[in-house]
Amino acid sequence: MRILLFDLDETLLNSRKKISEMTYESLMKCRDKGILIGVSTSRSEQNSSKYINKLQPDMTISSGGAMIRKGNECIFKSEFTAEETADLVTLARKVCGDCEITADILQGHYWNYRTEPSLLDPEWGGTIYRLSELFPAGIENVRGN
């Protein structure tokens, strides 16, 4: 069994954050020859979904290895509880002060950036939410406001 495993940004995606038609066709020719196609990215699964939906990879490694799927079946998942996440956010704020923080979960990408990420990169689309939505009953204390 052989597999071609690709990162998304600056590897599989071109400078316009697209999979070129030539690249897509080449990958499909490889698949026709029995070679498995995979994606390995630091992006969350949610933020990678449009590329995953197009490629239908045999394997997807997302969130820097925290989620691994073989086809549609999740075969590995490593995640923090809400309490652990809140503790990590609190520690980051204590050590780094007013820092930018992101948290990726299956439902989306949460952030407290000073500039809205979708203004910096439209690829974020509808997958980003304010970090305060992840911790509605206490983010103000976590963020130091």
Side-chain angles (χ1 to χ4, degrees):
M1 176 179 6
R2 297 181 295 171
I3 185 168
L4 295 172
L5 195 59
F6 297 94
D7 184 22
L8 288 176
D9 296 297
E10 298 181 20
T11 303
L12 195 59
L13 305 181
N14 62 26
S15 60
R16 293 184 310 270
K17 302 225 184 238
K18 306 276 185 214
I19 300 172
S20 74
E21 199 55 39
M22 183 177 77
T23 298
Y24 180 78
E25 288 173 9
S26 296
L27 291 174
M28 294 307 105
K29 286 178 184 176
C30 290
R31 179 172 276 153
D32 290 343
K33 291 181 179 188
I35 300 171
L36 302 176
I37 304 299
V39 170
S40 179
T41 182
S42 290
R43 288 180 181 224
S44 68
E45 187 175 84
Q46 178 76 16
N47 188 255
S48 306
S49 64
K50 80 178 196 177
Y51 309 112
I52 292 169
N53 291 338
K54 179 174 182 163
L55 285 176
Q56 295 295 303
D58 302 290
M59 176 163 291
T60 304
I61 302 169
S62 58
S63 296
M67 171 82 69
I68 302 174
R69 289 190 184 275
K70 180 179 177 188
N72 290 324
E73 176 190 0
C74 180
I75 61 172
F76 176 80
K77 178 170 55 169
S78 179
E79 58 191 353
F80 295 112
T81 65
E83 293 80 18
E84 290 169 328
T85 303
D87 289 345
L88 288 168
V89 170
T90 300
L91 181 60
R93 304 278 305 161
K94 184 176 181 179
V95 171
C96 302
D98 186 27
C99 57
E100 294 182 347
I101 298 170
T102 61
D104 286 323
I105 65 173
L106 288 178
Q107 294 77 15
H109 180 81
Y110 293 80
W111 56 276
N112 72 336
Y113 299 170
R114 290 166 189 83
T115 303
E116 184 160 335
S118 60
L119 297 176
L120 300 172
D121 186 348
E123 285 294 309
W124 289 102
T127 65
I128 56 174
Y129 308 96
R130 296 198 180 279
L131 194 58
S132 57
E133 295 175 49
L134 192 56
F135 299 102
I139 191 62
E140 283 69 31
N141 293 329
V142 173
R143 290 189 67 228
N145 292 337

